[in-house]
Amino acid sequence: MAGFRLLVGLGNPGSEYENTRHNAGAQWIEALARQSQCALRLEKKFFGQFGKVYIAGEECYLLIPTTYMNLSGKAVQAVCQFYKIPPEEILVIHDELDIPPGTVKLKQGGGHGGHNGLKDIIAKLSNNREFGRLRIGIGHPGHASQVANYVLKKAAPDDYAKIEQTIDESLRYVDDIVCGKLNAVMNQLHSFKA
């Protein structure tokens, strides 16, 4: 496993979406940028906020698309084309309905599970699904018809605190994640419960 060169945090742009469940991925990248003292700046050609950072001695790119969630692939595609990054060297950090708040899962490859951001990224990468995913649990509202409303709202304070804890916890392993030591990280992270 070569490791990841591009770390992408998904979310929706604009202050009304800040700290909503759907923006957990963007929040993760913001936290990593703070931790690495990396200033993210708006990069028009990449349709997002972008920064370069060294993690475990490797040069990595941080990206938060500033398109809406369902167009996330446009930003990912632009960075990948510019820096010649193959899909398997991308890690997408996103909110995950199928796991409860306070849990986080890491995997390489897979489907989109109905997530519009992942759907668009897969489409823009010519249907290549081999990128990594760090899935931050936000829980499920109980019924499919409630999902759209649910993901665009802020989590209840105790759930929000759990989401923040999972972000902090997963950032502790960022060196190993970037180096591609996924199994070691999975063993630790998958047993974590905020």
Side-chain angles (χ1 to χ4, degrees):
M1 172 69 213
F4 298 114
R5 286 169 58 208
L6 173 61
L7 309 180
V8 185
L10 299 187
N12 279 306
S15 53
E16 71 270 35
Y17 294 112
E18 248 171 63
N19 301 332
T20 56
R21 294 182 176 96
H22 225 12
N23 277 35
Q27 240 178 290
W28 193 91
I29 290 288
E30 285 162 3
L32 174 58
R34 278 196 302 276
Q35 179 179 304
S36 321
Q37 287 151 1
C38 161
L40 295 173
R41 58 180 191 282
L42 203 55
E43 200 56 85
K44 283 206 171 68
K45 69 176 179 222
F46 295 148
F47 311 100
Q49 298 201 45
F50 181 78
K52 277 186 208 180
V53 66
Y54 281 89
I55 298 171
E58 300 294 328
E59 187 175 56
C60 293
Y61 307 108
L62 306 185
L63 175 69
I64 299 174
T66 47
T67 56
Y68 282 97
M69 181 65 88
N70 59 348
L71 300 171
S72 300
K74 190 172 166 180
V76 174
Q77 184 184 38
V79 175
C80 289
Q81 284 175 342
F82 190 84
Y83 289 108
K84 310 271 181 282
I85 298 171
E88 49 279 7
E89 291 179 17
I90 305 167
L91 178 68
V92 177
I93 302 96
H94 66 89
D95 56 307
E96 177 59 72
L97 288 159
D98 294 333
I99 54 178
T103 53
V104 59
K105 303 272 186 221
L106 178 66
K107 68 175 186 174
Q108 185 94 27
H112 54 67
H115 193 292
N116 289 332
L118 294 180
K119 226 180 257 185
D120 194 56
I121 291 169
I122 290 169
K124 297 287 194 302
L125 295 174
S126 316
N127 284 325
N128 187 315
R129 298 156 179 257
E130 289 314 301
F131 53 90
R133 300 95 190 283
L134 184 70
R135 302 153 63 213
I136 298 169
I138 59 165
H140 198 286
H143 196 271
S145 63
Q146 299 168 321
V147 165
N149 201 10
Y150 176 81
V151 297
L152 296 178
K153 287 218 165 25
K154 289 180 170 58
D158 54 334
D159 280 356
Y160 185 73
K162 286 178 180 170
I163 291 167
E164 287 207 300
Q165 281 174 272
T166 54
I167 289 172
D168 290 345
E169 179 67 14
S170 51
L171 282 170
R172 290 177 43 202
Y173 301 102
V174 73
D175 287 19
D176 284 346
I177 293 171
V178 162
C179 294
K181 298 178 184 161
L182 299 196
N183 288 339
V185 176
M186 285 178 199
N187 289 339
Q188 300 294 324
L189 269 189
H190 292 188
S191 57
F192 174 76
K193 189 104 184 66

